[in-house]
């Protein structure tokens, strides 16, 4: 194996969290920083040639190659896990920028009580209301502590939106249920497409509090505090699964890479597939010494480093720690061990699909142009007499209704037809259809976790990550609660016909339900049940940091990236201001 000269910091993964850490360390210190990214290089200008729906959206050009590495999945301990051979329920990226290149850019913050979920729920409803088998935990950090870092993340991306609560003062038109924020969003909301405007008006008429979705697809030209300028969105609708042609959608390559490129102390090494974190026990306790990776020629390389950051996304972070034998693997039977526990996804469903008489112009839109209501989120409504805890957001989006993915959705009444009659119905309804989505909280359970698969291996011969994951009654009942509410809004919007989502049964690996997966290396105030402290620092190895949603003890209904970025900023501050002066545990 070839050994390279040592660097100060190595970062595994070149997505949102990895490149943000590289930018912060690279521009605020003189540390030598190397980012190792297993996919290829990318620059924002390569999207300018135009978009091909088949190539990007259907054949998934930007996603991880599952023939090299995938996960295995089973619903319970007694099932045999099988490899997921096609992208389905989540579509994670590879290459510089990670999933942040082809994401949507809907950027809500988490509700304040999400960070203290266990204490707040017990305080209000008592232990008895917690689901059997739950593994809910507090995060070891409060919303108030994270608030300034949320603001920095929003300013870096140039989020467009409308505040609902500035320092405790309610603001009309924003999210009436959000936590306080120190400042309004950097930019005004995006345009509201027609379908979403119908949703807004119907929701208002029914007594809800609609607000524009916070969007990283920016409403107008913007220069962020780092001096990076981007153009405003033109609503072409090629966002989700695509890189943005004009750079209006915040992506790691158009917000962070321009700064990183100017720093001589930071380099991004692509096609570097990290396999192990090298660690040993010295006089001052355990230390990581660097990482090994396979380069593009297939050679094994050792990159020594003083600091190691895992930023390879939820599942890969957990797998790398498991493969490297760092920490105690979680055992679901005894509930002992910390690594791999609290696997959560997002409860994500097209609650009601509405069919209209009039055209909706749904070809226009952006990955984050839409309207949400927070009335049914978190604990914004009383659960005393309800058969579930927590809730979620109902929303209507106009993402750009691209023909290959969306043609052929017809109402129930047209499903009996075929041939030319069906074609007529499919053409008629192509621009007359829209779904009201629900995204809800997924609580953590003892039985949902990750470990290494005993049978299946990746292209390098390393065990795949095994997911043991299924819904529980709390999620099923939450969905049953949300679906009729979505249907009521759809009918108030004037829908001619409404099709309802059939409900959550088993966890389905084939239905796309967001790439918002959490857990495995969760954070908390004490090492008893968690892997990292509230600075994302490994409890047992102080020169190892694990960034990203792998640290979330449970899903918080909203999309994860602003929280990932806020936590990364906070960690970077702690390293620059404290760790480098006095290396060791930060908490
Ligand atoms: C289609 C889609 C839509 C989304 N929409 C939203 C949204 O609207 N709002 C929101 O908040 N979030 C959204 N997300 C989620 C968002 O993209 C992620 O939360 C975010 O990208 C996570 O950042 P990360 O740095 O943790 O991981 P990533 O961005 O996934 O980056 C991880 C990087 O690590 C690399 N890597 C992995 N393993 C290795 C290894 N062994 N060696 C070297 N490199 C490795 C990967 O190739 C990848 O580039 C969306 C995701 C997808 C896929």
């Amino acid at each position: 194996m070839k050994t390279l000269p040592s660097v100060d910091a190595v970062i595994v993964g070149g997505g949102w969290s990895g490149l943000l850490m590289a930018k912060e360390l690279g521009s605020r210190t003189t540390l030598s920083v190397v980012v190792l990214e297993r996919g290829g290089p990318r620059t924002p200008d390569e999207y300018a040639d135009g978009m091909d729906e088949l190539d990007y959206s259907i054949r998934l050009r930007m996603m991880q190659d599952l023939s090299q590495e995938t996960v295995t999945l089973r619903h319970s301990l007694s099932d045999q896990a099988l490899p997921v051979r096609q992208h389905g329920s989540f579509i994670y990226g590879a290459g510089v920028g990670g999933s942040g290149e082809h994401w949507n850019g809907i950027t809500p913050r988490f509700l304040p009580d999400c960070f203290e979920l266990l204490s707040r729920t017990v305080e209000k409803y008592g232990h008895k209301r917690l689901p059997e088998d739950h593994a809910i935990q507090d995060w070891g950090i409060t919303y108030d502590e994270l608030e300034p870092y949320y603001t920095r993340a929003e300013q870096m991306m140039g989020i467009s939106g409308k505040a609902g609560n500035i320092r405790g003062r309610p603001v009309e038109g924003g999210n009436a249920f959000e936590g306080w924020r120190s400042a309004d969003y950097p930019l005004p909301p995006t345009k509201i497409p027609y379908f979403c405007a119908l949703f807004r008006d119907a929701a208002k008429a029914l007594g809800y509090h609609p607000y524009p979705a916070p969007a990283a697809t920016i409403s107008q030209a913007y220069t962020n505090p780092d001096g990076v300028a981007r153009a405003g969105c033109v609503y072409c609708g090629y966002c989700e699964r695509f890189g943005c042609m004009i750079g209006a959608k915040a992506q790691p390559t158009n917000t962070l890479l321009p700064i990183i490129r100017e720093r001589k102390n930071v380099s991004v090494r692509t096609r570097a597939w990290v396999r192990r974190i090298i660690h040993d026990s010295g006089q001052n306790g355990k230390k990581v010494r660097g990482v090994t990776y396979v380069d593009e020629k297939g050679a094994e390389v050792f990159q020594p480093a003083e600091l190691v950051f895992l930023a390879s996304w939820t599942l890969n972070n957990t797998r790398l720690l498991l493969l490297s034998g760092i920490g105690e693997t979680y055992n679901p039977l005894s509930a002992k061990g910390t690594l791999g526990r609290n696997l959560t996804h997002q409860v994500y469903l097209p609650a009601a699909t509405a069919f209209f008489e009039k055209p909706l112009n749904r070809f226009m839109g952006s990955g984050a142009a839409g309207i949400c209501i927070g009335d049914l989120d978190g604990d914004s409504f009383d659960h005393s007499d309800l058969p579930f805890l927590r809730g979620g957001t109902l929303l209507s989006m106009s993402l750009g209704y691209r023909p290959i993915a969306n043609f052929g959705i017809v109402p129930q009444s047209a499903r009996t037809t075929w041939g030319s009659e069906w074609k007529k119905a499919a053409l008629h309804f192509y621009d007359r259809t829209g779904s009201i989505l629900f995204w809800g909280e997924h609580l953590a359970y003892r039985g949902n976790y990750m470990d290494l698969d005993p049978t299946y291996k990746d292209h390098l011969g390393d065990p795949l990550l095994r997911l043991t994951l299924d819904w529980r009654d709390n999620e099923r009942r939450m969905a049953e609660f949300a679906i009729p509410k979505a249907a009521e809004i759809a009918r108030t919007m004037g829908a001619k016909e409404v099709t309802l989502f059939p409900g959550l049964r088993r966890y389905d690996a084939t239905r796309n339900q967001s790439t918002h997966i959490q857990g495995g290396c969760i954070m908390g105030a004490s090492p008893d049940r968690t892997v990292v402290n509230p600075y994302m620092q490994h409890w047992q190895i102080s020169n190892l940091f694990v960034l990203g949603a792998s640290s979330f003890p449970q899903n918080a209904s909203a999309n994860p990236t602003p929280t990932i970025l806020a936590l990364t900023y906070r960690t970077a501050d702690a390293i620059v201001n404290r760790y480098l002066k006095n290396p060791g545990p930060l908490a």
Side-chain angles (χ1 to χ4, degrees):
M1 181 178 316
K2 183 172 154 191
T3 298
L4 298 173
S6 186
V7 294
D8 293 319
V10 69
I11 299 173
V12 181
W16 265 130
S17 58
L19 290 190
L20 179 59
M21 184 54 76
K23 185 208 72 134
E24 287 292 295
L25 294 184
S27 49
R28 294 170 65 187
T29 73
T30 53
L31 296 181
S32 54
V33 180
V34 168
V35 179
L36 298 175
E37 165 55 49
R38 72 178 173 188
R42 276 203 198 105
T43 52
D45 37 312
E46 72 188 58
Y47 308 119
D49 287 346
M51 286 297 135
D52 177 341
E53 185 188 359
L54 186 63
D55 187 16
Y56 280 85
S57 169
I58 309 294
R59 294 184 179 150
L60 304 174
R61 173 204 262 252
M62 303 183 78
M63 314 316 167
Q64 164 64 28
D65 177 355
L66 297 189
S67 71
Q68 294 188 314
E69 189 206 309
T70 182
V71 294
T72 67
L73 174 74
R74 59 181 181 170
H75 288 119
S76 72
L77 284 175
S78 55
D79 295 338
Q80 163 74 44
L82 292 172
V84 177
R85 296 290 188 203
Q86 290 182 355
H87 281 288
S89 54
F90 45 89
I91 45 175
Y92 49 120
V96 172
S99 294
E101 291 297 287
H102 62 267
W103 72 323
N104 285 57
I106 309 168
T107 45
R109 298 180 178 193
F110 286 176
L111 294 171
D113 66 353
C114 291
F115 298 95
E116 298 157 280
L117 191 63
L118 183 61
S119 336
R120 298 284 189 100
T121 308
V122 169
E123 194 179 286
K124 186 155 177 199
Y125 298 107
H127 280 281
K128 278 195 184 141
R129 279 300 304 275
L130 296 173
E132 198 190 334
D133 183 32
H134 86 88
I136 303 170
Q137 280 189 208
D138 292 350
W139 293 49
I141 185 177
T142 61
Y143 175 84
D144 290 1
E145 287 170 284
L146 206 55
E147 200 287 331
Y149 301 100
Y150 268 129
T151 303
R152 271 166 73 181
E154 287 166 356
Q155 287 174 349
M156 182 268 288
M157 292 186 283
I159 302 305
S160 303
K162 172 92 183 150
N165 174 351
I166 299 184
R167 298 191 180 281
R169 179 176 57 83
V171 182
E172 183 69 28
N175 180 5
F177 302 93
E178 72 177 0
W180 69 277
R181 50 173 61 248
S182 46
D184 203 341
Y185 288 101
L187 291 173
T190 63
K191 285 184 183 166
I192 301 304
Y194 181 51
F195 172 67
C196 309
L198 292 177
F199 174 89
R200 177 195 57 207
D201 297 345
K204 221 176 199 167
L206 290 168
Y208 296 116
H209 299 80
Y211 64 94
T217 49
I218 56 178
S219 57
Q220 59 194 50
Y222 177 68
T223 302
N224 78 8
D226 294 321
V228 177
R230 291 171 19 237
C233 180
V234 295
Y235 306 93
C236 72
Y238 285 77
C239 307
E240 185 193 72
R241 306 183 180 204
F242 303 85
C244 182
M245 281 184 277
I246 59 164
K249 180 175 71 171
Q251 295 164 194
T253 56
N254 64 26
T255 49
L256 305 172
L257 206 55
I259 306 291
I260 289 171
R261 275 216 202 107
E262 290 184 357
R263 300 297 309 177
K264 288 202 171 62
N265 55 335
V266 186
S267 60
V268 180
R269 217 172 282 160
T270 53
R271 306 200 197 285
W273 188 298
V274 175
R275 290 181 77 184
R276 298 287 185 280
I277 305 142
I278 305 304
H279 56 104
D280 58 27
S281 297
Q283 268 182 338
N284 303 322
K286 284 188 183 163
K287 283 266 173 213
V288 288
R289 302 290 172 202
V291 302
T292 59
Y293 66 91
V294 174
D295 72 11
E296 62 184 320
K297 293 188 180 122
E300 288 270 355
V301 180
F302 174 43
Q303 175 62 71
E306 293 300 318
L307 280 167
V308 173
F309 295 86
L310 297 188
S312 57
W313 189 57
T314 306
L315 302 183
N316 307 312
N317 285 350
T318 307
R319 181 169 179 254
L320 279 170
L321 289 178
L322 287 164
L323 287 172
S324 307
I326 294 178
E328 194 186 347
T329 304
Y330 174 66
N331 177 338
L333 297 173
S334 63
K336 292 217 166 72
T338 53
L339 179 59
R341 62 178 301 161
N342 287 42
L343 168 62
T344 55
H345 200 158
Q346 186 180 37
V347 176
Y348 187 95
L349 27 121
T353 300
F355 299 89
F356 294 82
E357 292 281 13
K358 51 193 171 187
L360 300 168
N361 290 347
R362 297 213 63 213
F363 49 86
M364 288 187 284
S366 87
I371 294 284
C372 309
I373 57 170
D375 303 63
L376 309 176
D377 199 5
D379 203 37
S380 306
F381 56 110
D382 187 35
H383 290 72
S384 302
D385 297 324
L386 291 172
F388 63 93
L389 291 170
R390 310 300 290 174
T393 299
L394 281 174
L395 63 158
S396 74
M397 306 299 299
S398 261
L399 307 175
Y401 211 56
R402 295 180 298 270
I404 305 176
N406 296 297
F407 182 77
I409 301 171
V410 295
Q412 204 74 40
S413 56
R415 282 194 197 151
T416 47
T417 60
W418 61 286
S420 56
E421 281 304 303
W422 181 85
K423 280 186 199 157
K424 220 159 84 186
L427 277 171
H428 177 77
F429 284 107
Y430 174 61
D431 188 34
R432 291 174 169 82
T433 308
S435 288
I436 296 176
L437 307 172
F438 175 72
W439 67 45
E441 283 189 40
H442 183 199
L443 301 181
Y445 300 95
R446 276 176 59 166
N448 286 342
Y449 73 105
M450 313 171 217
D451 63 358
L452 292 177
D453 192 281
T455 310
Y456 295 98
K457 300 201 167 19
D458 70 8
H459 70 304
L460 298 171
D462 290 329
L464 296 184
L465 189 71
R466 175 170 66 179
L467 312 184
T468 304
L469 178 63
D470 207 356
W471 304 121
R472 303 289 193 275
D473 282 345
N474 199 71
E475 293 81 60
R476 296 190 184 107
R477 289 175 184 150
M478 184 193 289
E480 280 163 21
F481 173 79
I483 291 165
K485 306 243 182 265
E488 188 187 22
I489 300 176
R491 290 195 189 94
T492 310
M493 288 165 75
K496 187 180 162 217
E497 211 171 316
V498 180
T499 306
L500 302 186
F501 184 77
L504 282 182
R505 294 186 182 97
R506 310 230 72 178
Y507 179 83
D508 177 2
T510 63
R511 180 176 71 82
N512 185 255
Q513 44 204 307
S514 90
T515 309
H516 307 154
I517 302 203
Q518 292 84 203
C521 318
I522 64 171
M523 62 192 278
S526 103
D528 300 345
R529 301 193 339 152
T530 66
V531 173
V532 293
N533 68 29
Y535 295 98
M536 315 284 107
Q537 184 182 36
H538 198 278
W539 279 112
Q540 282 84 39
I541 308 185
S542 63
N543 66 336
L544 174 63
F545 292 81
V546 188
L547 308 175
S550 50
S551 66
F552 296 5
Q554 53 269 325
N555 162 262
S557 100
N559 296 357
T561 308
T563 308
I564 293 172
L565 296 174
L567 289 167
T568 306
Y569 269 121
R570 186 168 181 268
T571 298
D573 268 8
I575 291 171
V576 173
N577 299 332
R578 294 201 282 134
Y579 182 92
L580 293 177
K581 290 175 194 145
N582 185 17
L586 287 163

